[in-house]
Amino acid sequence: MIREIITSCDKYSEYLDDILCAIDKQYQLKFHYATPYGGEKDIMLSPAFVRLFKQRWYVIGVNENEQVRCLPFDRIAFMEVVCKRHPLPAKMKRLLTPDNFYDGCFGIMRMEDEQIENIRIRAFYPEYNLIEEVPLHESQQKVKESDDGLYREYTLAVRPSRDFLQELLWHGRNIVVLKPESLKRRMIDILKDMMQSYETGECRNGEEDL
């Protein structure tokens, strides 16, 4: 098992070196890629930058249809560097920088229909110590502390994407959303669906009819 982990890390390190070189030289990358749904496909990508999130590397770039793609390294079955310059279009080059593309994002997801919102949360003791040591987002600011020290409140300017909601849920009852009301209701609906899934054993993630 240890040997398998080391071999896997070495493979991803090789991918990282080759991808960074391709970004620097403006080369394209050809991937044989396993989709999250069990399929496989070939993808040509003009890479723009890489991103590390929750111990997983991703490469972000533009495919042959000029669509932005974000591919995790561990789904790459095969990669080839096409040693011919293929610069990104000027518009894409401006968009595809980490600061621009992930402005207000929590992690790896960038959902166009999710605007940056001013979110207020309450974290209870001792959870607030954890999120002060490792903030939920770079915009996190403490704005209130209860007199008895039982909770602290924070504001964040972030897009309430699926991965951000999952992070809030990971903290369980130790963090609650106070504002905006729309996000608070979304969290309540998710928790209700989770409770029904536990009670019935049926899918309530909103994807059962897809």
Side-chain angles (χ1 to χ4, degrees):
M1 176 62 74
I2 294 175
R3 182 177 297 175
E4 290 176 358
I5 292 173
I6 292 173
T7 301
S8 176
C9 291
D10 287 345
K11 181 176 71 172
Y12 298 149
S13 177
E14 290 175 7
Y15 285 158
L16 181 60
D17 290 342
D18 288 342
I19 290 171
L20 291 176
C21 181
I23 293 170
D24 182 57
K25 295 182 180 295
Q26 301 184 61
Y27 290 163
Q28 282 188 305
L29 298 169
K30 184 176 181 179
F31 297 106
H32 189 63
Y33 175 74
T35 73
Y37 305 102
E40 295 184 357
K41 61 181 355 181
D42 290 326
I43 296 176
M44 288 288 291
L45 192 80
S46 297
F49 63 94
V50 297
R51 185 173 175 89
L52 178 66
F53 179 65
K54 289 190 178 294
Q55 301 179 348
R56 197 181 196 192
W57 280 103
Y58 297 81
V59 55
I60 294 87
V62 180
N63 67 9
E64 58 266 40
N65 297 319
E66 297 190 356
Q67 298 171 322
V68 177
R69 298 296 305 272
C70 177
L71 307 180
F73 284 19
D74 55 323
R75 292 193 180 278
I76 298 172
F78 172 80
M79 186 182 80
E80 176 187 352
V81 179
V82 181
C83 297
K84 182 179 179 181
R85 288 189 75 250
H86 193 280
L88 289 166
K91 181 179 179 181
M92 284 297 182
K93 189 173 183 178
R94 288 193 297 270
L95 170 66
L96 291 181
T97 68
D99 289 342
N100 286 340
F101 190 72
Y102 282 115
D103 180 34
C105 296
F106 167 70
I108 207 67
M109 292 185 177
R110 183 183 187 272
M111 303 176 69
E112 297 290 346
D113 57 342
E114 296 286 4
Q115 301 301 312
I116 297 175
E117 295 195 42
N118 293 317
I119 296 169
R120 184 160 178 152
I121 61 171
R122 176 176 292 173
F124 299 98
Y125 176 83
E127 200 75 7
Y128 55 64
N129 290 327
L130 174 61
I131 68 168
E132 288 186 4
E133 292 173 358
V134 184
L136 295 172
H137 188 258
E138 59 188 15
S139 64
Q140 176 180 305
Q141 292 186 348
K142 185 174 75 171
V143 293
K144 181 179 179 181
E145 181 171 0
S146 64
D147 293 336
D148 55 12
L150 289 179
Y151 68 83
R152 294 175 184 173
E153 294 180 5
Y154 305 85
T155 59
L156 306 95
V158 65
R159 301 176 193 270
S161 55
R162 179 180 175 184
D163 50 1
F164 178 66
L165 303 191
Q166 288 174 334
E167 180 69 15
L168 293 178
L169 291 168
W170 182 85
H171 290 271
R173 67 188 70 188
N174 297 308
I175 288 181
V176 295
V177 173
L178 301 178
K179 295 179 181 179
E181 184 65 23
S182 58
L183 179 58
K184 183 177 177 180
R185 294 307 312 175
R186 282 177 68 183
M187 297 297 292
I188 290 172
D189 289 341
I190 291 171
L191 291 168
K192 286 180 177 178
D193 285 343
M194 289 175 62
M195 186 169 64
Q196 288 190 35
S197 290
Y198 271 102
E199 290 175 347
T200 66
E202 297 177 351
C203 179
R204 297 288 300 174
N205 63 9
E207 299 177 358
E208 59 268 30
D209 297 325
L210 295 181

